């Protein structure tokens, strides 16, 4: 039986035409090779000052010449000495209380603005300074002169004691800096002042500032004054406003609370929704959410001698540190994390549960519906790692992962059905415990979803009593398994192992073929999602949303079984589905899926299948179809900047596409794997849209990895909000594309 091109649908022919037209563009997109070299990896180190809410309400942060850190808080002044981890209270006794400012003069003296006056440090002790009346909310030192400002006045000490200045300046002082001469710039709630001994100028109209509320001040390297406040940032020269930076320019909140220049000349702007950095090369980067900050409200920013940023928030101090890393070193780091907390017996790669949200020391293993799929990803990762390095440890680990996936079938004691996951039989905690549905509940569920299957017994005890295994296995599990099997078979297995893999894959597919291409649970009916039968996909309207996707899936499963075993029964079934049931025509419409039925989860299931189609198919016409299908599919996915998709595309078609955005993702991915809640809906600089997935709330601009939810590739990268701090994700999402890039020769050692 041969494939007849004359039976192609219009959609299939259109794919061929588009592929032919796209070949030159795809070739021109080649970007070659990335030479791995050190880059700056940022990471967050939270620092809690005390146990009370007031002690962690940090109003001002300051770092002195000896790299000691000082914090003015609602509970008083604290100091963290260089090399120490603990904060010590500086002012105690009856003078203890709310504090607002810290500074250091040219002679090295530390000055403190407290609720009841100005203090200086003498012999490591605070001494109240006569003259200035508390509260002192801002301090500036310049050329040997100390300036102290607050609601009750403005005092100056040029070395002869403090005297009060009578200039007509608002008392709502929020920040003050030297003008580089002998004057001051002063930010207040009623505008910006430029003060000198001889004259005071007041700027508050909109031709001078975005708004009259000025909060933070800093000079950039060009000596332009940045004034942050309500509305954004005003950039001024000595005499006039030059430009404005608002939410349309990337500021996440119209309320800018602090501005500072970083050691690398970047301008850091603290807002009510995180920190935006304007870099000298014209790029911007945002830090927000609990991944990066203890609170998104930023009160102040300071930098230590190593270039680390210390950020004052109402819930403590967030330190943004940097370390030099290569991608290879980052791979080593993630691999160590993987082995410490994300491999559970018998060799399952999965997420960790955090009993204390965000605290990785409180971790414990937990089951997941997709343990099989994600161990399939892990199996593929170890296969690429072995293929790239010949590391025997990678081969040994791949063999263990395959052993677990094979056990998922064996533990069910059936002819080919396999479990979602397994847990030790003595576990007391698991997801989706067994339950009973009332007839009313069944009725409700059926109205919502006519395909609903009321599975009351999800967990079953294995025959040997060692395991509880979970049934109702879904189609995505089968896709993830087959993806891992293909790469283990082609990149790692020796001849003896290949026979074992082939027999296992054949057993799974035989089960489907015996059951009208459905996965049959031990209750004798198909699972809720594992349906590939033509009777359902082609003739039951309720399965129309899954027709294209599931047709693609079953063709790949059967093709892989034929590729591995060489048995003709699989080829006959494969051709029957193409020629009699038009499954190839169904597959052709995957790229034009009705938007009501498009879910991002399916994108990765499709990606899993392309290597099977393109490297197992021998018929030139069908191979041409599959390549054309991938080309068109990739045009819809390029904007996702997904390195796994990019490298799967490159692997299948021997191209080098999207390397820059793949490497950008690998670099920008944070080291922190906790699934911190991230909510872009709070930001003012982006729009919330319903594209590309109608069902999801999404951002209109793809966000960098550093401020997305922790990745699992079946999650929509455009998602606007989500996260669970009691979950730490397994780093296979990073390691798999990295090792694919290494294997393909696109990333150097």
């Amino acid at each position: 039986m041969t494939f007849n091109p004359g039976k192609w649908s219009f959609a299939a022919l259109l794919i061929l035409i588009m592929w032919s037209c796209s070949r030159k563009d795809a070739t021109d997109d080649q970007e070659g090779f990335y030479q791995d070299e050190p880059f700056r990896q940022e990471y967050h180190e939270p620092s809690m000052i005390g146990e009370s809410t007031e002690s962690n309400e940090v109003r001002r942060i300051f770092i002195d010449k000896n790299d000691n850190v000082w914090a003015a808080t609602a509970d008083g002044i604290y100091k963290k000495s260089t090399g120490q981890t603990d904060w010590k209270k500086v002012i105690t006794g009856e003078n203890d209380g709310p504090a607002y400012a810290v500074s250091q003069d040219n002679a090295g003296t530390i000055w403190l603005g407290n609720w009841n006056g100005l203090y200086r440090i003498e012999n490591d002790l605070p001494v109240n300074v006569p003259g200035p009346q508390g509260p002192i909310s801002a301090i500036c030192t310049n050329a040997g002169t100390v300036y102290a400002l607050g609601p009750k006045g403005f005092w100056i000490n040029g070395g002869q004691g403090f005297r009060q200045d009578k200039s007509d300046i608002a008392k709502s002082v929020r920040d003050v800096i030297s003008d580089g001469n002998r004057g001051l710039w002063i930010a207040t709630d009623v505008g910006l002042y430029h003060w000198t001994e001889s004259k005071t100028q007041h700027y508050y109209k909109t031709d001078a500032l975005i708004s009259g509320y000025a909060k933070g001040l800093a000079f950039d390297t060009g000596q332009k004054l940045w004034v942050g406040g309500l509305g954004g940032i005003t950039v001024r020269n000595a005499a006039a406003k030059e430009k404005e930076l608002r939410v349309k320019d990337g500021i996440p909140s119209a309320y800018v609370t602090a501005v500072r220049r970083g050691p690398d000349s970047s301008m850091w702007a603290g807002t009510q929704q995180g920190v935006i950095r304007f870099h000298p090369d014209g790029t911007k980067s945002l830090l927000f959410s609990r991944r990066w900050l203890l609170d998104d409200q930023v009160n102040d920013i300071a930098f230590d001698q190593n270039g680390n940023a210390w950020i004052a928030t109402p819930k403590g101090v967030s330190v943004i540190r940097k370390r030099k890393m290569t991608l290879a070193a980052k791979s080593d780091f993630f691999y160590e994390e993987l082995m410490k907390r994300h491999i559970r017996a018998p060799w399952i790669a999965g997420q960790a549960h955090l009993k204390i949200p965000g605290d990785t020391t409180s971790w414990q293993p937990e089951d997941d519906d997709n343990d099989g799929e994600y161990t399939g990803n892990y199996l593929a990762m170890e296969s690429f790692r072995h293929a790239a390095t010949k590391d025997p440890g990678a081969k040994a680990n791949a063999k263990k992962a395959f052993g677990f996936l094979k056990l998922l079938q064996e533990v069910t004691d059936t002819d080919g059905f396999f479990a979602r996951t397994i847990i030790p039989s003595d576990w007391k905690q698991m997801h989706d415990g067994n339950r009973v549905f009332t007839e009313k509940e069944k009725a409700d569920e059926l109205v919502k979803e006519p395909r609903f299957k009321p599975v009351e017994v999800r967990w079953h005890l294995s025959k040997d009593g060692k395991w509880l295994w979970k049934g109702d296995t879904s189609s995505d599990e089968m896709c993830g398994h087959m993806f891992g099997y293909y790469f283990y078979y082609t990149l790692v297995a020796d001849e003896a192992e290949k026979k074992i893999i082939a027999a296992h894959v054949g057993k799974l597919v035989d089960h489907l073929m015996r059951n009208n291409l459905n996965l049959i649970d031990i209750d004798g009916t198909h699972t809720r999602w594992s349906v590939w039968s033509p009777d359902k996909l082609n003739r039951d309207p309720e399965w129309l949303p899954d027709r294209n996707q599931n047709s693609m899936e079953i063709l790949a499963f059967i093709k892989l079984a034929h590729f591995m075993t060489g048995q003709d029964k699989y080829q006959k079934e494969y051709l029957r589905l193409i020629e009699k049931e038009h499954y190839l025509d169904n597959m052709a419409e995957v790229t034009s899926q009705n938007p009501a039925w498009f879910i991002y989860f399916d994108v990765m299931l499709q990606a899993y299948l392309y290597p099977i189609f393109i490297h197992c198919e021998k018929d030139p016409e069908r191979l041409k179809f599959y390549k054309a299908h991938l080309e068109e599919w990739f045009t819809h996915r390029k904007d996702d900047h997904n390195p796994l998709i990019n490298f799967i595309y490159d692997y299948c078609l021997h191209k080098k596409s999207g390397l820059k955005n793949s490497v950008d993702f690998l670099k920008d991915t944070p080291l922190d794997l906790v699934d911190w809640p991230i909510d872009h809906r709070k930001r003012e600089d982006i729009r919330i849209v319903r594209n590309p997935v109608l069902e999801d709330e999404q951002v209109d601009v793809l966000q960098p990895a550093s401020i997305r939810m922790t990745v699992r590739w079946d999650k929509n990268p455009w998602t606007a909000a989500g996260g669970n701090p009691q979950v730490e994700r397994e780093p296979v999402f990073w390691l798999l594309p990295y090792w694919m890039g290494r294997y393909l020769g696109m990333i150097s050692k």
Side-chain angles (χ1 to χ4, degrees):
M1 190 177 292
T2 59
F3 177 62
N4 182 359
K7 293 186 178 179
W8 285 18
S9 68
F10 175 76
L13 290 172
L14 182 61
I15 288 174
L16 263 184
I17 294 169
M18 293 183 68
W19 172 69
S20 300
C21 295
S22 69
R23 288 184 68 187
K24 183 177 186 301
D25 292 339
T27 302
D28 290 345
D29 189 39
Q30 291 183 3
E31 299 173 35
F33 168 80
Y34 172 71
Q35 177 64 50
D36 195 8
E37 57 187 14
F39 60 92
R40 295 282 186 178
Q41 177 70 59
E42 290 187 317
Y43 61 99
H44 175 211
E45 183 181 282
S47 183
M48 306 299 291
I49 291 178
E51 296 182 359
S52 70
T53 300
E54 292 77 15
S55 63
N56 288 300
E57 184 187 320
V58 186
R59 285 89 177 265
R60 189 70 69 183
I61 195 85
F62 180 81
I63 300 175
D64 66 26
K65 296 174 183 178
N66 295 318
D67 241 17
N68 302 307
V69 185
W70 302 74
T73 79
D75 185 47
I77 297 284
Y78 287 83
K79 176 185 177 183
K80 192 176 81 66
S81 299
T82 305
Q84 301 297 310
T85 57
D86 295 336
W87 295 82
K88 301 290 177 71
K89 181 165 273 194
V90 176
I91 299 176
T92 58
E94 63 181 5
N95 294 320
D96 184 16
Y100 311 95
V102 185
S103 189
Q104 186 174 33
D105 63 23
N106 291 348
T109 301
I110 298 292
W111 299 84
L112 311 173
N114 206 33
W115 68 278
N116 66 346
L118 181 69
Y119 290 75
R120 67 170 174 259
I121 300 298
E122 296 181 3
N123 298 319
D124 293 327
L125 296 173
V127 176
N128 185 243
V129 177
Q133 299 177 35
I136 299 298
S137 56
I139 305 170
C140 181
T141 62
N142 179 31
T145 301
V146 179
Y147 305 89
L149 302 87
K152 295 183 179 179
F154 173 16
W155 290 268
I156 304 170
N157 179 5
Q160 304 298 318
F162 280 89
R163 61 179 174 82
Q164 189 167 11
D165 185 85
K166 299 300 184 181
S167 300
D168 189 16
I169 293 174
K171 303 302 187 289
S172 54
V173 176
R174 305 305 172 201
D175 200 8
V176 56
I177 62 171
S178 166
D179 66 359
N181 195 1
R182 297 193 64 83
L184 303 176
W185 287 101
I186 303 170
T188 77
D189 285 356
V190 292
L192 177 69
Y193 291 86
H194 184 234
W195 173 91
T196 65
E197 289 278 8
S198 59
K199 182 173 67 173
T200 300
Q201 294 173 287
H202 186 199
Y203 305 95
Y204 62 92
K205 295 183 179 180
T206 54
D207 62 347
L209 294 175
I210 290 177
S211 76
Y213 193 104
K215 181 71 173 175
L217 302 169
F219 284 103
D220 64 19
T221 54
Q223 291 306 298
K224 302 296 173 61
L225 180 66
W226 289 44
V227 185
L230 184 60
I233 297 170
T234 304
V235 182
R236 295 179 50 88
N237 59 33
K241 177 171 69 174
E242 286 195 0
K243 67 177 181 180
E244 297 176 346
L245 297 171
R246 296 176 177 263
V247 294
K248 66 180 178 61
D249 301 299
I251 298 177
S253 167
Y255 203 139
V256 176
T257 53
V259 185
R260 296 290 182 262
R261 186 177 76 209
D264 64 351
S265 299
S266 295
M267 297 300 291
W268 293 51
T271 76
Q272 290 186 332
Q273 292 300 329
V275 176
I276 180 73
R277 285 89 60 85
F278 295 88
H279 302 292
D281 62 2
T283 61
K284 300 183 289 289
S285 60
L286 175 65
L287 300 175
F288 88 120
S289 83
R290 178 55 183 79
R291 175 185 291 156
W292 293 109
L293 300 171
L294 287 166
D295 191 275
D296 282 337
Q297 167 80 32
V298 174
N299 293 332
D300 196 18
I301 306 166
F303 301 92
D304 64 25
Q305 294 175 13
N306 292 317
N308 302 308
W310 295 69
I311 300 174
T313 83
K315 294 181 180 177
V317 178
S318 288
V319 189
I320 307 300
R321 298 191 183 276
K322 295 180 181 180
R323 59 190 287 190
K324 278 191 176 182
M325 294 189 91
T326 60
L327 292 182
K330 195 168 183 177
S331 171
D332 291 342
F333 173 85
F334 277 142
Y335 198 83
E336 183 178 349
E337 298 296 290
L338 175 69
M339 291 298 145
K340 278 194 300 190
R341 293 191 295 277
H342 297 283
I343 299 293
R344 76 173 197 268
W347 203 262
I348 305 172
Q351 61 193 25
H353 174 75
L354 307 180
K355 290 180 284 187
I356 301 172
D359 181 359
T360 57
T361 66
S362 71
W363 78 278
Q364 62 185 19
E366 71 171 351
D367 67 279
D368 184 89
D369 267 8
N370 299 106
D371 280 340
E373 176 188 350
Y374 286 105
T375 302
N377 278 211
Y378 168 79
L379 174 59
M381 181 275 289
E382 291 286 23
S383 298
F384 280 109
R385 188 165 77 93
H386 173 72
T389 65
K390 305 306 177 188
D391 184 342
K395 180 173 183 176
N397 288 346
K399 186 173 183 178
K400 293 174 187 175
F402 172 73
F404 158 67
L405 296 176
K406 187 168 178 284
L407 178 61
L408 287 180
Q409 194 288 306
E410 295 167 342
V411 77
T412 67
D413 196 31
T414 65
D415 67 353
F417 177 73
F418 66 96
R420 281 182 176 273
T421 189
I422 57 176
I423 59 175
S425 58
D426 59 354
W427 272 26
K428 304 302 181 187
Q429 294 293 119
M430 73 279 285
H431 290 282
D432 302 325
N434 296 339
R435 59 161 298 182
V436 175
F437 289 90
T438 67
E439 292 304 314
K440 292 178 182 179
E441 288 173 330
K442 292 177 184 178
D444 271 349
E445 293 296 335
L446 281 171
V447 169
K448 289 185 286 186
E449 166 58 90
R451 290 165 23 180
F452 170 72
K453 180 179 179 180
V455 181
E456 296 184 319
V457 181
R458 290 187 178 271
W459 292 95
H460 311 267
L461 184 65
S462 64
K463 184 177 287 187
D464 61 10
K466 292 182 179 180
W467 305 103
L468 288 170
W469 61 267
K470 190 174 189 180
D472 198 34
T473 308
S474 65
S475 55
D476 48 291
E477 294 300 285
M478 180 74 87
C479 293
H481 282 231
M482 295 297 188
F483 177 72
Y485 297 153
Y486 168 77
F487 286 113
Y488 181 52
Y489 183 93
T490 57
L491 298 179
V492 178
D494 59 27
E495 290 307 312
E497 291 166 331
K498 284 185 177 182
K499 290 179 182 178
I500 296 171
I501 302 165
H504 175 65
V505 170
K507 187 174 185 179
L508 299 183
V509 175
D510 285 346
H511 171 89
L512 300 181
M513 290 171 58
R514 278 193 299 271
N515 292 286
N516 198 20
L517 302 181
N518 295 325
L519 188 63
I520 303 301
D521 209 330
I522 61 171
D523 63 0
T525 66
H526 66 72
T527 69
R528 183 175 184 183
W529 300 109
S530 293
V531 171
W532 300 282
S533 165
D535 292 339
K536 293 293 187 182
L537 300 186
N538 285 347
R539 293 178 274 281
D540 183 341
E542 289 300 330
W543 283 91
L544 179 59
D546 298 272
R547 176 187 293 168
N548 310 136
Q549 171 76 27
N550 287 24
S551 295
M552 181 179 183
E553 291 174 1
I554 193 64
L555 288 176
F557 305 159
I558 297 172
K559 172 50 62 179
L560 184 62
H562 179 253
F563 171 77
M564 288 182 174
T565 68
Q567 294 182 30
D568 191 49
K569 64 180 179 180
Y570 302 119
Q571 183 70 358
K572 287 180 179 178
E573 180 67 0
Y574 175 70
L575 293 177
R576 182 185 75 84
L577 291 175
I578 291 173
E579 297 178 354
K580 302 293 186 185
E581 298 293 351
H582 309 290
Y583 269 34
L584 208 61
D585 290 340
N586 294 347
M587 175 181 167
E589 297 179 16
V590 160
T591 52
S592 56
Q593 176 79 315
N594 188 298
W597 306 328
F598 172 63
I599 58 174
Y600 198 87
F601 190 91
D602 287 346
V603 168
M604 285 316 304
L605 304 187
Q606 294 154 13
Y608 293 156
L609 306 177
Y610 283 114
I612 298 171
F613 283 125
I614 292 174
H615 287 276
C616 298
E617 180 60 69
K618 302 305 179 187
D619 179 83
E621 292 300 321
R622 285 191 295 272
L623 182 59
K624 186 182 294 185
F625 169 82
Y626 291 136
K627 288 182 176 180
H629 195 279
L630 174 55
E631 288 281 15
E632 187 192 356
W633 179 86
F634 189 64
T635 64
H636 296 278
R637 303 274 58 91
K638 290 174 78 169
D639 290 343
D640 294 341
H641 292 185
N642 180 326
L644 182 54
I645 284 177
N646 291 343
F647 289 138
I648 286 175
Y649 173 83
D650 296 334
Y651 170 84
C652 290
L653 299 182
H654 305 291
K655 294 187 177 181
K656 295 183 178 180
S657 301
L659 179 59
K660 182 182 183 304
N661 64 58
S662 295
V663 170
D664 286 347
F665 177 92
L666 294 174
K667 287 182 176 180
D668 195 55
T669 297
L671 301 179
D672 186 347
L673 296 169
V674 175
D675 189 24
W676 292 111
I678 292 179
D679 192 349
H680 295 286
R681 296 172 302 184
K682 297 178 180 179
R683 294 169 53 186
E684 299 177 46
D685 59 318
I686 56 177
R687 292 189 306 117
I688 302 302
V689 296
R690 291 285 184 176
N691 186 63
V693 181
L694 290 179
E695 192 174 358
D696 298 345
E697 280 190 316
Q698 295 151 104
V699 293
D700 63 331
V701 176
L702 184 68
Q703 298 301 293
S706 54
I707 53 172
R708 287 189 220 165
M709 289 184 296
T710 308
V711 170
R712 264 192 164 179
W713 287 122
D714 60 2
K715 307 299 182 186
N716 185 350
W718 303 78
T719 297
N724 178 1
Q726 288 196 277
V727 169
E728 185 190 41
R729 297 292 191 197
E730 71 280 10
V732 175
F733 75 86
W734 191 98
L735 291 164
L736 174 54
Y738 169 75
W739 283 109
M740 287 189 75
R742 284 281 302 274
Y743 169 78
L744 292 169
M746 296 173 69
I747 298 174
S748 73
K749 294 181 181 179

